[in-house]
């Protein structure tokens, strides 16, 4: 049965779907109070941000003579927002759609989803942490029940570094892990092959042993990620192995991903090239990086910090449902039943 | 019996059998996860065939695992004994039993004397391959309330296995309906 049919059969279900309206309204009100500009960013783009872990949707733009140009669906509004900040816009946000391929068969993903990104000029990521606390409180109030568990939103939230979380939950010394990941992972019983990368082992330990503990009882801000895992983040000055990146978790769900933004055009271009080599190696849909964005960085992106928040997950939380499809009138799995 | 073979996470199927920490397990559920920090992973819920205990484990996408060899045998469902369900091979008359925990939601739709595909590991029955649809007769149904014109309204009926199913108002006693045994939802008039 499709969602519209279920709604027709059971009008009580409408309430769950109306949560989306309230969340969207609360987000816009929050940024209006904070005096941010709202920007409409393009969905049809020529150059996706170079991130090797994403699979992009490719399409074709035709001119009047049917001459084809490759086009892509946006994976995030980040690059257009940064160009406008380089032009002098100041604090801004975008509440829009983003598209990521190969994300069916998941309770936490829909290939087309709603993303919120906001950027503050002249601050580092610590201020974005405070924004998250305030925004979530303005949406959820002080407390919320999600899947029978109570979550306390009063501030400040728990803050823990990736290194401390690895120590606390997986008993891994993170300094050691930088050099001896394979040895440590093998001792823990994970499969380690010659081609297994450091980043895969990081994620496997993280997903199995760390993530399930995050955001239980109250939200957790997890910060200082390995620099290799933050394509657009600024490195930490006192330890260049780490980047000024944080994520926040509620009830084991990752809700947002934030950076002190990289503003150096040379390093940005390097990282894009590295990512695109990885895209090729993985045999994914390939594309060129956005040279215009590098130009914008050269003219000077002011120091700024920003975050991407998965709005559908936020709605899941507010609607107390375990499946993202239950927050969407038209989930992709109903549109494309064959892909399941 | 099939030989042990190695598969990768790309071959995972819901209900499939793999070795985990040296013990046979059934994949109850799996999800692709993309942590946004790099490569892809597969989060699974695995049920031990020995203890019935369910635990979570996240594999690297593409990681190799040992598949537990499972053969299919056609067997007739006979009866329930305690928390075991007893089946009989249609040809050899050999009997075996499956614990309730291994059958999940499907137990509500098992019909005595019907033939099912039983999954066997060595001599041990480890599960049942249920069809996507089961057809069962409605044994108890109330008339749809007169004058109720709300289209899409539903009522509950009881089918021959004793399971309660929510159906549209027009379904009558004695009719056969198709049900999705995994979720227990009504699919169509059969």
């Amino acid at each position: 049965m499709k969602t519209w049919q279920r709604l027709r059969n059971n009008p009580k279900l409408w309430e769950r779907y109306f949560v989306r309206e309230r969340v969207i309204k609360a987000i816009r009100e929050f940024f209006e109070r904070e005096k941010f500009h709202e920007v409409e960013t393009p969905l049809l783009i020529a150059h996706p941000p170079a991130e090797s872990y994403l699979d992009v949707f490719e399409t074709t733009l035709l001119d009047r003579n049917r001459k084809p140009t490759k086009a892509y669906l946006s994976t995030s509004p980040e690059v257009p927002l940064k160009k406008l900040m380089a032009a002098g816009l100041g604090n801004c946000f975008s509440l829009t759609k983003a598209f990521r391929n190969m994300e069916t068969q998941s309770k936490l993903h829909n290939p087309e989803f709603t993303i919120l990104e906001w950027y503050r000029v002249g601050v580092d990521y610590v201020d974005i942490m405070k924004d998250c606390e305030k925004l979530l409180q303005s949406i959820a109030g002080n407390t919320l029940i999600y899947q029978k568990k109570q979550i306390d939103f009063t501030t400040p939230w728990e803050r823990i570094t990736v290194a401390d979380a690895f120590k606390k939950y997986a008993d891994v010394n993170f300094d050691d892990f930088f050099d001896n990941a394979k040895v440590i992972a093998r001792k823990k019983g994970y499969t380690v092959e010659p081609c297994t990368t450091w980043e895969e082992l990081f994620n496997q330990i993280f997903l199995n042993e760390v993530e399930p503990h995050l955001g239980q009882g109250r939200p957790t801000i997890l910060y200082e990620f390995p620099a290799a895992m933050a394509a657009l983040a600024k490195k930490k000055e006192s330890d260049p192995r780490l980047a000024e990146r944080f994520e926040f978790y509620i009830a084991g769900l990752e809700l947002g991903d934030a950076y002190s933004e990289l503003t150096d055009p040379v390093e940005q271009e390097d990282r894009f090239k590295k990512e695109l080599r990885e895209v090729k190696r993985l045999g994914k849909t390939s594309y060129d990086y956005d040279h215009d964005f590098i130009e914008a960085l050269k003219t000077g992106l002011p120091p700024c910090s920003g975050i991407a928040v998965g709005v559908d997950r936020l709605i899941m939380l507010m609607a107390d449902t375990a499946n993202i499809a239950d927050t969407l009138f038209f989930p992709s799995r109903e549109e494309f039943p064959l892909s399941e | 019996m099939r030989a042990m073979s190695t598969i990768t996470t790309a071959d995972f199927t819901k209900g499939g059998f793999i070795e985990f920490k040296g013990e046979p397990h059934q994949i109850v559920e799996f999800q692709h996860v993309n942590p946004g920090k790099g490569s892809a992973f597969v989060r699974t819920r695995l049920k031990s065939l020995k203890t019935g205990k369910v635990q979570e484990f996240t594999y690297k996408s593409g990681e190799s695992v040992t598949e537990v060899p499972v053969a299919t045998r056609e067997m007739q469902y006979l009866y329930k004994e305690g928390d075991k369900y007893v089946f009989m091979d249609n040809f050899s008359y050999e009997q075996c039993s499956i614990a309730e925990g291994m059958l999940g939601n499907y137990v509500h739709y098992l019909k005595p004397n019907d033939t099912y595909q039983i999954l066997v590991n060595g001599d041990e029955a480890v599960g049942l391959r249920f069809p996507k649809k089961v057809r069962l007769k409605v044994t108890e149904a109330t008339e749809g309330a007169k004058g109720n014109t709300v289209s899409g309204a539903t009522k509950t009926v009881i089918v021959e296995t004793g399971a309660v199913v929510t159906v549209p108002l027009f379904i009558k006693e004695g009719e056969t309906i198709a049900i999705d045994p995994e979720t227990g939802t009504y699919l169509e008039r059969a």
Side-chain angles (χ1 to χ4, degrees):
Chain A
M1 228 186 291
K2 304 282 193 208
T3 299
W4 68 266
Q5 289 164 316
R6 274 190 281 139
L7 285 161
R8 195 180 156 105
N9 283 348
N10 182 5
K12 279 186 211 140
L13 281 179
W14 285 105
E15 209 38 54
R16 187 173 77 204
Y17 291 87
F18 291 155
V19 170
R20 180 172 293 267
E21 287 177 29
R22 292 202 297 276
V23 170
I24 298 282
K25 188 160 173 268
I27 291 170
R28 288 216 159 89
E29 280 170 0
F30 176 82
F31 286 106
E32 199 181 326
R33 284 197 300 277
E34 298 286 323
K35 304 203 163 36
F36 275 54
H37 285 285
E38 180 169 0
V39 176
E40 266 188 28
T41 50
L43 299 182
L44 187 67
I45 55 170
H47 306 283
E51 284 174 289
S52 59
Y53 67 88
L54 295 180
D55 281 275
V56 300
F57 283 93
E58 190 178 1
T59 181
T60 307
L61 189 69
L62 299 175
D63 74 0
R64 305 283 285 188
N65 301 314
R66 308 194 70 82
K67 187 175 152 259
T69 304
K70 277 189 183 174
Y72 306 87
L73 296 182
S74 172
T75 56
S76 123
E78 174 159 6
V79 165
L81 288 174
K82 282 184 175 171
K83 285 179 185 173
L84 293 178
M85 281 188 291
L89 179 66
N91 296 351
C92 55
F93 79 102
S94 177
L95 182 57
T96 187
K97 288 278 187 159
F99 300 82
R100 295 181 185 178
N101 220 338
M102 296 192 65
E103 293 198 346
T104 55
Q105 284 179 315
S106 165
K107 286 182 182 168
L108 299 179
H109 296 93
N110 198 61
E112 169 184 352
F113 63 101
T114 303
I115 190 170
L116 165 67
E117 292 206 9
W118 75 87
Y119 292 86
R120 270 190 194 273
V121 172
V123 302
D124 70 11
Y125 71 157
V126 174
D127 285 270
I128 303 294
M129 293 179 190
K130 290 178 193 149
D131 278 341
C132 290
E133 291 175 330
K134 277 199 283 183
L135 173 66
L136 267 283
Q137 252 189 337
S138 78
I139 295 170
N142 281 332
T143 169
L144 178 82
I145 305 281
Y146 180 66
Q147 303 291 291
K148 302 199 174 83
K149 285 186 215 150
Q150 183 159 342
I151 298 153
D152 179 1
F153 283 93
T154 50
T155 58
W157 294 350
E158 178 191 27
R159 283 165 168 74
I160 185 169
T161 63
V162 170
D164 287 345
F166 265 64
K167 185 77 214 153
K168 184 171 176 187
Y169 299 118
D171 196 27
V172 167
N173 178 323
F174 210 61
D175 257 332
D176 257 11
F177 191 72
F178 268 113
D179 305 319
N180 301 314
K182 287 196 174 184
V183 179
I184 292 169
R186 200 176 285 123
K187 252 189 222 156
K188 282 178 166 286
Y190 294 104
T191 307
V192 179
E193 284 154 18
C195 61
T196 306
T197 63
W198 186 88
E199 169 272 313
E200 282 174 328
L201 297 174
F202 169 90
N203 275 313
Q204 202 167 30
I205 293 176
F206 179 75
L207 292 170
N208 276 306
E209 302 181 45
V210 180
E211 195 184 57
H213 299 284
L214 303 178
Q216 304 298 348
R218 62 195 185 117
T220 301
I221 290 172
L222 182 72
Y223 66 104
E224 285 183 1
F225 277 75
M229 289 172 203
L232 296 118
K234 199 175 125 196
K235 284 178 183 161
K236 194 184 167 192
E237 262 166 41
S238 57
D239 186 349
R241 295 176 304 175
L242 299 172
E244 292 195 359
R245 168 182 183 179
F246 79 83
E247 292 187 336
F248 73 98
Y249 285 82
I250 300 173
L253 280 180
E254 188 237 311
L255 268 288
D257 183 8
Y259 302 151
S260 293
E261 302 297 336
L262 177 65
T263 54
D264 178 351
V266 177
E267 193 177 341
Q268 184 66 79
E269 196 164 16
D270 269 1
R271 289 199 210 173
F272 273 171
K273 285 178 179 164
K274 216 173 126 195
E275 286 292 315
L276 291 181
R277 277 198 297 275
E278 187 65 9
V279 166
K280 276 219 178 88
R281 189 186 71 82
L282 294 169
K284 295 185 175 188
T285 304
S286 64
Y287 45 85
D288 193 10
Y289 66 88
D290 189 350
H291 295 263
D292 183 51
F293 177 48
I294 303 295
E295 279 311 303
L297 292 183
K298 280 181 188 160
T299 65
L301 176 64
C304 61
S305 292
I307 185 167
V309 171
V311 176
D312 308 276
R313 289 190 187 178
L314 195 54
I315 293 164
M316 255 175 92
L317 201 72
M318 297 302 298
D320 191 13
T321 149
N323 194 330
I324 214 157
D326 292 340
T327 70
L328 298 161
F329 284 131
F330 302 99
S332 288
R333 64 167 187 201
E334 284 179 13
E335 198 75 17
F336 303 99
L338 290 176
S339 66
E340 287 292 302
Chain B
M1 195 171 115
R2 266 161 53 200
M4 286 271 183
S5 63
T6 301
I7 59 168
T8 78
T9 59
D11 307 312
F12 279 7
T13 52
K14 199 168 163 180
F17 295 88
I18 57 170
E19 220 168 69
F20 174 66
K21 295 190 171 157
E23 299 281 351
H25 282 74
Q26 184 172 33
I27 303 171
V28 183
E29 216 183 308
F30 70 99
Q31 293 274 320
H32 294 276
V33 287
N34 211 326
K37 299 165 208 66
S39 44
F41 293 81
V42 182
R43 176 165 282 161
T44 59
R45 280 166 61 75
L46 303 171
K47 186 195 272 180
S48 163
L49 296 191
K50 297 236 159 114
T51 63
K53 200 182 128 199
V54 176
Q55 56 182 316
E56 290 198 354
F57 188 76
T58 303
Y59 289 95
K60 291 187 284 290
S61 188
E63 193 173 332
S64 300
V65 292
T66 304
E67 189 180 24
V68 173
V70 168
T72 311
R73 277 167 75 177
E74 298 230 310
M75 293 178 109
Q76 208 185 107
Y77 169 52
L78 297 179
Y79 52 85
K80 185 184 174 191
E81 192 178 64
D83 66 347
K84 302 252 188 217
Y85 288 75
V86 181
F87 293 82
M88 182 183 70
D89 190 296
N90 287 344
F91 301 99
S92 67
Y93 304 113
E94 231 178 293
Q95 291 189 9
C96 69
S97 61
I98 304 179
E100 184 164 346
M102 296 309 298
L103 294 172
N105 205 27
Y106 297 136
V107 293
H108 306 300
Y109 309 101
L110 281 174
K111 202 170 125 192
N113 304 324
D114 269 13
T115 298
Y116 295 93
Q117 310 247 308
I118 302 299
L119 303 167
V120 193
N121 170 225
D123 292 331
E124 214 177 332
V126 292
L128 184 149
R129 180 168 293 144
F130 241 100
K132 288 252 176 258
K133 266 183 204 178
V134 292
R135 290 186 170 75
L136 294 169
K137 199 186 238 180
V138 176
T139 51
E140 254 186 84
T142 52
E143 284 294 312
K146 271 221 177 83
N148 187 342
T149 53
V150 181
S151 93
T154 56
K155 62 179 179 182
T156 56
V157 297
I158 298 174
V159 294
E160 54 188 313
T161 59
V164 178
V165 185
T166 302
V167 299
L169 290 180
F170 57 76
I171 296 296
K172 295 189 184 68
E173 201 170 300
E175 274 187 292
T176 301
I177 58 171
I179 301 160
D180 175 352
E182 197 186 322
T183 58
T185 47
Y186 163 85
L187 296 171
E188 64 202 4
R189 222 191 296 207

